[in-house]
Amino acid sequence: MQGLSFVAIGIFVAGYSTARWDLVTRLYELAIFAWDHGVVWRAVQGVAALSALFVLVYLPIERIASHAANLHPRAPGCGISAREQLKRRGSF
C-alpha cells in the first residue's frame, strides 16, 4: 500500500471512532433527560395500558372464536376451495 492509503485509513478510523463516541455520549445524555422528565414512567404506564386493553378486548374475542370453531369442526379433507368453486361455475 502507498503511504497515502495508510493516512486515509487512519483518518477514517479516527473520524469513525469520534462519531461513535459522540453518539454514545448523546444517547447517555438523552437517557438522563428522559429519566429526569418522567418519560420512562409514562412508557411503563403506556405498556401497562396496552396490555390491559389486549386482555380486555382481544382475549374474549379469541375465546368466542375458539368456542365457535369447536362447535362447528371442519375436517381437513372435506369441502372444496374457493378456486375449485370458481372452476365449477365456469368463472375461473
Side-chain angles (χ1 to χ4, degrees):
M1 282 185 119
Q2 298 175 356
L4 185 60
S5 298
F6 286 116
V7 171
I9 290 173
I11 290 171
F12 173 77
V13 169
Y16 184 81
S17 61
T18 302
R20 289 293 164 206
W21 179 254
D22 184 52
L23 178 65
V24 168
T25 55
R26 287 184 189 267
L27 286 174
Y28 178 71
E29 291 171 357
L30 180 63
I32 292 172
F33 177 82
W35 184 264
D36 288 342
H37 289 82
V39 174
V40 175
W41 177 244
R42 286 193 301 249
V44 168
Q45 288 175 332
V47 168
L50 288 175
S51 298
L53 184 68
F54 173 78
V55 168
L56 294 174
V57 173
Y58 177 76
L59 289 181
I61 291 173
E62 190 274 332
R63 297 285 242 167
I64 293 169
S66 176
H67 181 68
N70 289 336
L71 285 177
H72 308 286
R74 183 173 177 186
C78 72
I80 59 173
S81 67
R83 182 183 300 262
E84 183 63 28
Q85 290 176 9
L86 289 173
K87 282 182 183 178
R88 289 182 183 183
R89 281 191 294 195
S91 303
F92 188 61

